[in-house]
Amino acid sequence: MPQGQSKSITLDKAISARRTNVRWLVVAVLFFVTLINYADRASISLAGPGMAKDLGLNAVDMGVIFSAFGWAYVLFQLPGGWLLDRYGSKLIYSLSIFFWSLFTLMTGLAGFVTGAAAVVVVFCLRFLVGAAESPSFPANSRLVAAWFPASERGTAAAIFASAQYGATVFFAPLMGWLAHTYGWHSVFTVLGLIGIAFLPLFRKLVHDPLSHPMTNQAELDHMQQGGALVNMDGDKHKPRLSWLKQLLGSRMMLGIYLAQYCLNAIGFFFITWFPVYLVQEKHMTIMKAGFVAAIPAVCGFLGGIMGGFLSDVLIRRGMSLSLARKLPIVCGMLLCCVMVLCNYTDSETAVIAIMAASFLGKGIGGMGWTVNADTAPKEIAGLSGSVLNTFSNASSITTPIIIGFILQLTGSFNGVLWFVIAHAVAVILFYLFMVGKIKRFELRDVGEEA
């Protein structure tokens, strides 16, 4: 064989053996689709004032409409997880994207009715958006479990989870401009069209690992050797009620779910009452409060990426999975607790710095989706994610109400801050004393026919 041809064959083998990195492309797609997801959720808040004026809606009407998404999102979590495990991530996620985008688009056409009829129409459409979006985060977690080894899973989960903060940066200016320039209808119309337009790209780039046309054997070997569930969709099982009972009966899994409830409660303080706190308790102007309220979101984004990255670095340096996950969670929640120092200062600068540090800690410690990807049974990874999200979003209903009662009883936010940091302490206690060793949960009686 000629020497030149021999070198060419050797080079071809080297190129074919070089590991692809398709898994990072997949998680990038998840990041962008989650940006769209959260923008569609938030669209009602920016379109709301114009909608209320045009359709003749009062504050109570708008409150009812605002609640529609949350109720549906919680109610449809378990059915959404069941569908993911029964029919696979790609199909159900694709349908989810299409229908939440369609119902968002249709909301922009709701101007043909007013009054009570408008409340019913818009409530139903927002309810349907919530139902359609319910499989999205469990699907994200399921795909990360399939595509990523343990030593990269924290970073991957942090990337898609950080989109909840990034959506404000990417889409809030666009939605505000649309509402101001073209009216509230345009917000829903444009966001719905963006989601539908993104769907073909999602379907082209997201597959299960074994059937993806762009990945090679070297990448599959890397993923499998690190614990990725690459054949998750190829080995489907019909989820059973007994498996759900096993999840809830597991001390480890229940501890993870309860901790996620507490984590989301902290987040919902920032989403709902934090601007009110700045105005009423710290006497900031509305304009300043609006600017300051964006700072924790940025810190949460940075903290989320930081926590996942540091956890993966610890694993690569030989630390056990349990310690590598729990250390950022505990440290992050301890940092979150500095929030209570705001009770003892009237300095606006100090309040901003303390709250920024607190939300940075919340981001660092907010690794519930990573831990779910580490522990969820391969047969029902979608259902496990849905249970996690059910616990998580239950706090979106309870937290704002409880804070309202605390304010009514005490007339001050001092007790509210103690209430919020109590959740951070609870997260620490759940992970240290209830979760135990973090490992893949194995179902009993998997081989039996349903």
Side-chain angles (χ1 to χ4, degrees):
M1 179 182 297
Q3 186 176 1
Q5 186 177 353
S6 176
K7 287 182 178 180
S8 177
I9 293 173
T10 302
L11 181 61
D12 289 342
K13 288 182 178 179
I15 292 173
S16 65
R18 188 181 301 156
R19 190 174 73 203
T20 54
N21 288 293
V22 177
R23 62 198 183 281
W24 295 108
L25 176 62
V26 170
V27 84
V29 175
L30 297 184
F31 173 80
F32 284 108
V33 78
T34 306
L35 284 180
I36 298 170
N37 179 306
Y38 265 83
D40 285 353
R41 297 186 195 193
S43 58
I44 192 74
S45 62
L46 284 167
M51 175 188 288
K53 182 179 179 180
D54 284 359
L55 302 184
L57 308 178
N58 59 34
V60 174
D61 296 333
M62 292 305 296
V64 171
I65 289 170
F66 285 159
S67 72
F69 178 95
W71 285 109
Y73 192 69
V74 172
L75 287 172
F76 283 88
Q77 280 300 313
L78 295 184
W82 185 92
L83 289 170
L84 285 168
D85 293 323
R86 186 71 180 90
Y87 298 105
S89 301
K90 183 175 180 177
L91 173 62
I92 300 304
Y93 210 160
S94 298
L95 292 172
S96 176
I97 294 168
F98 174 77
F99 281 110
W100 93 52
S101 300
L102 176 64
F103 295 136
T104 299
L105 178 64
M106 291 173 64
T107 308
L109 306 176
F112 62 89
V113 290
T114 58
V119 174
V120 173
V121 170
V122 179
F123 180 93
C124 289
L125 287 169
R126 292 299 295 174
F127 188 92
L128 290 170
V129 171
E133 286 196 7
S134 61
S136 57
F137 258 68
N140 286 345
S141 181
R142 200 173 186 274
L143 285 162
V144 165
W147 274 95
F148 286 87
S151 61
E152 298 172 349
R153 203 174 288 146
T155 303
I159 288 171
F160 80 70
S162 68
Q164 61 188 293
Y165 308 111
T168 301
V169 178
F170 279 81
F171 282 103
L174 172 64
M175 290 190 289
W177 176 77
L178 286 170
H180 176 76
T181 307
Y182 299 104
W184 63 270
H185 307 81
S186 65
V187 175
F188 299 110
T189 302
V190 171
L191 288 177
L193 291 174
I194 288 174
I196 293 172
F198 191 81
L199 180 57
L201 183 64
F202 174 88
R203 291 193 57 80
K204 180 178 177 61
L205 296 179
V206 175
H207 306 266
D208 69 272
L210 295 180
S211 64
H212 202 293
M214 297 168 62
T215 192
N216 66 4
Q217 191 60 45
E219 183 174 15
L220 289 172
D221 290 343
H222 169 72
M223 290 153 53
Q224 283 183 293
Q225 290 165 10
L229 305 177
V230 297
N231 196 36
M232 183 186 294
D233 278 349
D235 187 23
K236 298 187 189 78
H237 294 266
K238 184 178 180 181
R240 297 181 237 164
L241 181 61
S242 63
W243 292 354
L244 175 60
K245 291 179 179 177
Q246 287 183 48
L247 283 180
L248 296 175
S250 163
R251 178 171 173 166
M252 177 184 70
M253 299 304 295
L254 187 58
I256 294 167
Y257 299 149
L258 291 171
Q260 192 69 9
Y261 170 91
C262 296
L263 275 168
N264 203 51
I266 299 168
F268 256 82
F269 163 71
F270 282 98
I271 291 171
T272 56
W273 283 102
F274 182 53
V276 180
Y277 163 77
L278 295 175
V279 173
Q280 291 186 1
E281 194 79 7
K282 299 304 176 183
H283 310 295
M284 295 185 186
T285 64
I286 291 290
M287 183 177 294
K288 181 178 285 187
F291 173 76
V292 169
I295 296 175
V298 175
C299 292
F301 176 87
L302 295 175
I305 298 295
M306 188 186 306
F309 177 77
L310 291 175
S311 179
D312 287 347
V313 168
L314 293 175
I315 290 176
R316 289 195 290 270
R317 293 190 175 183
M319 187 174 287
S320 70
L321 179 65
S322 291
L323 187 56
R325 298 302 190 223
K326 290 182 181 182
L327 190 60
I329 291 172
V330 171
C331 292
M333 290 299 100
L334 288 173
L335 180 58
C336 187
C337 289
V338 303
M339 179 193 305
V340 78
L341 297 177
C342 290
N343 284 342
Y344 307 101
T345 180
D346 291 322
S347 167
E348 289 185 359
T349 302
V351 168
I352 294 169
I354 291 168
M355 285 297 186
S358 180
F359 212 56
L360 178 71
K362 194 267 182 184
I364 293 171
M367 296 186 63
W369 285 105
T370 301
V371 177
N372 181 72
D374 291 326
T375 58
K378 63 180 182 179
E379 297 87 0
I380 51 170
L383 186 62
S384 177
S386 293
V387 175
L388 183 83
N389 222 17
T390 300
F391 275 80
S392 176
N393 284 279
S395 65
S396 69
I397 298 171
T398 59
T399 302
I401 296 172
I402 294 172
I403 289 176
F405 276 110
I406 293 173
L407 288 173
Q408 185 174 348
L409 290 172
T410 66
S412 168
F413 272 88
N414 285 7
V416 170
L417 298 193
W418 284 106
F419 168 74
V420 174
I421 70 163
H423 287 81
V425 174
V427 173
I428 295 173
L429 296 177
F430 282 130
Y431 271 99
L432 291 183
F433 300 108
M434 187 172 181
V435 171
K437 183 179 180 181
I438 293 177
K439 59 183 180 179
R440 182 75 57 198
F441 181 67
E442 296 185 4
L443 296 168
R444 301 183 301 273
D445 305 324
V446 173
E448 295 182 5
E449 292 295 324

